[in-house]
Each structure stands twice: as structure tokens, then as C-alpha cells.
Amino acid sequence: MSPLDINLADLIARLNEELPDDADELARISEARLRAQTLSDLGDQLVDHYVSRARQAGASWSEVGDAIGVSKQAAQQRHTPNVFERFTDLNRHSVVLAQEAARTHKHDAIGTEHILLGLLGEPRGLAYELLVAKAESEQRVRAAVEQAMAPAGKKALRGHIPFRPDSKEVIEQAVRAAADLGHDWVGTEHSLLGLIRTEQSPAAEILRGLGFSSDELHETVRSAVGRRL
């Protein structure tokens, strides 16, 4: 039985459908590599999710290593809980999208503006709902981000792309925002709060330009989460 209802033909068809007709084969190679990296990142997150569940159920690192096919030490090094452990699946996906936004723009680090684009790329998240409700359209937010974005670099990076210092602060602020609200998860809404709380960042400036304020957004998130629960 195939583990996923997806095949190479589907991936090729979608890439060809979404790229302009005049895109050359080299452009298609670049886009294919970006999509392959996204699939790889999502696969790592999938394994992390079930490793976390197995550990919570009492599985030892030796047992986890056997299931993955690596040593106990390798399993522990790869899957020890990190700052993203409490991030929801939607919020983890937004981080992957932020990395791909940086890669697409050929930037050498993930900035707060890329994190904002990542939140926009996850329409199931509460952050997307709040952004579009305030700005009145997704396109208005994207236009503001693109206007503030640094010029594209010369070459897209391969593999891992690091966070800028202000983006690391956003992640820390997101975790704090969740704690402030008494939430035991870190969702896209908390990342949105993290962005505006990192006051000197490009994304915070974009959000203020769209009419957001930190205190008002805090209360909006509190109310919105209450309604969803």
C-alpha cells in the first residue's frame, strides 16, 4: 500500500500548471527543488509529531531509534524537543512557508516579513483570519509585505536557512504570548502577536501600517480563541 495518495505525475502536472507557460526548463528545475525541500521539511515535521506521541506514551529512545532505523543517540539528537515543540501543526507549516518565502526571494536569512508571509500562506490559521479581517483583503497585506521586502539576492540558498535575530525574538514572543493568554499551544495567532511585539522589526511596522496595535491584537486573539473553543 502506498503511504501517500500522491505520485510523481501529480507533482509534475501541478508544477507545470502553476508556472507560466513561458517558463524555461531551468526555472522549472529551481521550482522543483524548492518544492522538494518543502516536502522534505514537512516529512521531518511528520516524523517529529509521531516521535513526540511515542515518547509521551512511554517509548524509550532505543525503541524510537529502532522504529526510525537509526541508533538511540541519533534518534535523541534529531528529535529532542525544541522551541517549536508546542507549535501547532498549522503554525509549524507557516514556519516552513516562511523559509520557502526567504528561499524564493533568494534571501540568506528568514526575516519577520517572511514569517508574516508564512502566516498568510496558511488560510486555516487564526492569524490569516485576523489579518484579512483587519486589512480587508489578503492582497493588501501581501502588497505591504512586498513593498517592505529587501531586493532579491543573486542565488537561492540550499538546505536550512537561519532566522534573523529579530525573527528569533518573534518566536520567543509568540511563546510568551501563548503563556500570557493561558494557552498550552503556540498557534498562528500567537506568532502574529509575536510579530507585533517585536516592535523594531519590519513586520511590526507593516502591521502597524495596516492598523494593528499590540494591546488591541492581544484582546482580539483572546476573544477569537474563546469563540473557537
Side-chain angles (χ1 to χ4, degrees):
M1 182 177 67
S2 175
L4 289 176
D5 185 18
I6 189 172
N7 57 54
L8 178 60
D10 291 336
L11 293 174
I12 292 173
R14 182 166 178 179
L15 190 151
N16 287 335
E17 179 182 337
E18 295 179 358
L19 255 62
D21 292 337
D22 58 354
D24 61 24
E25 297 307 315
L26 293 177
R28 294 176 192 276
I29 290 174
S30 297
E31 181 63 22
R33 185 181 59 76
L34 292 176
R35 297 186 184 207
Q37 183 63 52
T38 298
L39 289 171
S40 176
D41 290 339
L42 288 174
D44 289 342
Q45 290 183 29
L46 178 65
V47 174
D48 285 344
H49 172 76
Y50 284 103
V51 167
S52 177
R53 289 186 56 174
R55 290 287 294 159
Q56 290 172 7
S60 69
W61 281 115
S62 293
E63 291 171 323
V64 170
D66 289 342
I68 297 174
V70 299
S71 69
K72 167 188 172 180
Q73 290 77 12
Q76 194 166 6
Q77 289 173 358
R78 292 183 192 178
H79 302 285
T80 297
N82 56 37
V83 68
F84 297 110
E85 181 186 18
R86 289 172 50 219
F87 274 44
T88 63
D89 290 344
L90 295 184
N91 206 14
R92 290 184 185 188
H93 186 219
S94 78
V95 174
V96 173
L97 294 176
Q99 177 177 264
E100 292 314 306
R103 200 187 310 278
T104 299
H105 287 82
K106 300 180 181 178
H107 295 158
D108 59 5
I110 300 172
T112 61
E113 59 275 30
H114 304 121
I115 294 176
L116 185 52
L117 283 178
L119 295 176
L120 272 181
E122 185 41 88
R124 297 170 295 172
L126 181 53
Y128 177 91
E129 178 183 318
L130 299 179
L131 283 166
V132 173
K134 188 74 168 180
E136 299 182 347
S137 76
E138 176 184 334
Q139 187 54 42
R140 185 184 174 205
V141 184
R142 289 191 178 279
V145 175
E146 291 297 334
Q147 186 175 2
M149 191 77 72
K154 295 182 179 180
K155 185 177 181 181
L157 293 184
R158 295 184 178 183
H160 175 71
I161 300 179
F163 287 94
R164 278 198 329 234
D166 55 352
S167 295
K168 292 180 180 178
E169 182 180 348
V170 168
I171 294 169
E172 294 172 359
Q173 291 287 356
V175 174
R176 291 176 190 169
D180 291 345
L181 289 163
H183 300 157
D184 60 1
W185 71 93
V186 182
T188 61
E189 63 276 16
H190 303 117
S191 288
L192 185 59
L193 279 168
L195 285 172
I196 200 164
R197 287 185 176 189
T198 308
E199 297 181 353
Q200 302 304 315
S201 68
E205 185 175 347
I206 292 168
L207 292 173
R208 288 193 294 267
L210 293 171
F212 285 96
S213 69
S214 182
D215 290 343
E216 180 185 10
L217 182 56
H218 179 91
E219 291 306 313
T220 300
V221 169
R222 183 195 301 276
S223 299
V225 170
R227 288 195 302 271
R228 285 195 169 194
L229 291 177

